[in-house]
Amino acid sequence: GAGVSQSPSNKVTEKGKDVELRCDPISGHTALYWYRQSLGQGLEFLIYFQGNSAPDKSGLPSDRFSAERTGGSVSTLTIQRTQQEDSAVYLCASSAGLGTGRNEQFFGPGTRLTVL
Amino acid sequence: DAKTTQPTSMDCAEGRAANLPCNHSTISGNEYVYWYRQIHSQGPQYIIHGLKNNETNEMASLIITEDRKSSTLILPHATLRDTAVYYCIVRVAGAGSYQLTFGKGTKLSVIP
């Protein structure tokens, strides 16, 4: 399909383990965003990429969280030493990018992370 | 970004038009009105956006008042699959305004 895809769809891990979440944006979209949504809560912005650069990392909740994007396409969100409060649905979105006049964000289905 | 105010919840009969209001009285001249929705257990879905003119696409219509302080999203023939939380977001569509700030939205329930 032509939409944003994320993997895995579900991830259960033990407290203290590291996890990697993957996002494949829509082809040609230069902007990529990570959000998370805790149970019953609204969306929380984490980080934004324009190309491979992340001009705004202000939403990352701690230094255990990091993200990278390579080739202007796939992005990986890494959470080190996971804690139970990290349990949430992690959502990725992409948009055509700044300067294009098309800033609608298209979201993937999310990765549901459960930390036991 | 300007703050928005939406009703917490609304009901709509299946097949009827659903009219979802949004107040954004502090909107600036360069801010657009965006609508997204989130169906249970899915990621948010873009619906429509506009600056000052009314807009229509295959999903919905967006009516923005002349003073731009409020808007209404119209789903012309609501179906059960339209049951979702609908978010009205006001933001500048340009450099430096990239993240979406979701409020609590309106929970729309389409009733058979």
Side-chain angles (χ1 to χ4, degrees):
Chain A
V4 177
S5 61
Q6 294 185 246
S7 60
S9 56
N10 280 285
K11 176 71 176 179
V12 179
T13 190
E14 294 179 347
K15 178 181 173 181
K17 296 288 179 87
D18 298 350
V19 295
E20 283 189 355
L21 312 179
R22 176 186 168 106
C23 172
D24 282 86
I26 292 173
S27 177
H29 278 190
T30 61
L32 186 147
Y33 314 78
W34 283 98
Y35 297 82
R36 74 175 176 180
Q37 187 170 32
S38 300
L39 186 63
Q41 302 297 311
L43 271 75
E44 175 188 2
F45 169 77
L46 298 178
I47 189 170
Y48 151 75
F49 286 91
Q50 177 62 36
N52 292 333
S53 300
D56 186 358
K57 305 178 183 179
S58 64
L60 295 177
S62 76
D63 59 8
R64 296 185 295 104
F65 287 72
S66 63
E68 65 175 12
R69 189 179 184 196
T70 56
S73 181
V74 172
S75 177
T76 303
L77 178 69
T78 301
I79 308 173
Q80 296 178 309
R81 305 182 302 282
T82 52
Q83 304 294 312
Q84 289 182 331
E85 60 263 28
D86 299 334
S87 296
V89 176
Y90 288 80
L91 290 156
C92 175
S94 70
S95 69
L98 299 178
T100 65
R102 299 303 305 271
N103 292 318
E104 311 91 274
Q105 294 183 22
F106 296 89
F107 285 78
T111 293
R112 181 176 298 277
L113 175 66
T114 303
V115 182
L116 302 177
Chain B
D1 292 339
K3 181 178 177 178
T4 62
T5 304
Q6 299 177 251
T8 302
S9 63
M10 292 181 64
D11 291 342
C12 178
E14 187 179 16
R16 304 297 291 267
N19 297 281
L20 293 96
C22 179
N23 286 325
H24 31 79
S25 58
T26 60
I27 192 171
S28 301
N30 61 346
E31 288 182 312
Y32 286 69
V33 180
Y34 284 79
W35 284 84
Y36 285 77
R37 72 180 182 184
Q38 188 170 24
I39 296 170
H40 182 61
S41 298
Q42 297 184 21
Q45 178 187 23
Y46 165 79
I47 301 173
I48 198 167
H49 76 283
L51 181 63
K52 55 182 178 180
N53 297 322
N54 298 337
E55 302 286 345
T56 295
N57 63 20
E58 66 278 5
M59 289 183 68
S61 295
L62 173 61
I63 308 299
I64 303 174
T65 58
E66 191 169 346
D67 63 7
R68 304 210 320 122
K69 292 185 177 182
S70 66
S71 60
T72 302
L73 178 75
I74 301 173
L75 307 179
H77 305 288
T79 70
L80 299 179
R81 287 175 292 183
D82 292 322
T83 292
V85 179
Y86 287 76
Y87 298 96
C88 169
I89 299 168
V90 173
R91 62 193 291 262
V92 176
S97 57
Y98 27 80
Q99 63 165 290
L100 291 172
T101 302
F102 287 79
K104 295 191 181 299
T106 296
K107 181 174 173 54
L108 175 68
S109 298
V110 180
I111 312 297

